[in-house]
Amino acid sequence: MDSKQLIEEAMKARQKAYAPYSNFKVGAALMGQDGRIFMGCNVENASYGLTMCAERVAVVKAVSEGVTEFSAIALIADSDTPISPCGACRQVLAEFNPEMTVIMGNIAGEIEETILSELLPNQFRSHRLT
Ligand code: THU
């Protein structure tokens, strides 16, 4: 599956976004090493701080289904430039693969691609816990 196809999946996930407070809908599609795709959308809450980002929803769905190895994630929103994952999501994604491909898009059709470690260098990793 190429970047454009994974962005298409993220676009479908975005349609499910629950974002009545910000009206900023985000979709994510997380590619497991086994080829399975996990979709995520942002899920907001009246207690704003409890909002869950699309990327983390996708990670939680995948891990709870037994998939912990990922090769790529695609994200999309109606943003002026391709949406870049928030810091918390970068850290959560890095737990599983700091070298995963991150494909960022917007509704206007712009796409940018990078590697997670470029977005979050020197991540906090479990080897630092010893
Ligand atoms: N949001 C995401 O889903 N992912 C990000 O990486 C950035 C922000 C959501 C959270 C909130 O529902 C809305 O976008 C506005 O911040």
Side-chain angles (χ1 to χ4, degrees), residues 22 24 26 42 44 51 53-55 83-86:
S22 72
F24 187 74
V26 184
N42 51 335
E44 297 187 345
T51 289
C53 289
E55 301 91 313
I83 180 174
S84 182
C86 82

Side-chain angles (χ1 to χ4, degrees), residues 64-118:
S64 62
E65 294 291 328
V67 177
T68 54
E69 290 180 26
F70 310 111
S71 56
I73 187 166
L75 320 172
I76 193 153
D78 190 3
S79 40
D80 54 355
T81 56
I83 180 174
S84 182
C86 82
C89 289
R90 293 176 192 199
Q91 177 65 31
V92 169
L93 291 166
E95 174 77 18
F96 299 99
N97 179 7
E99 302 308 319
M100 80 172 72
T101 301
V102 181
I103 304 150
M104 301 165 286
N106 64 9
I107 295 296
E110 295 173 290
I111 296 183
E112 286 173 11
E113 197 169 310
T114 188
I115 301 294
L116 183 56
S117 58
E118 293 285 328

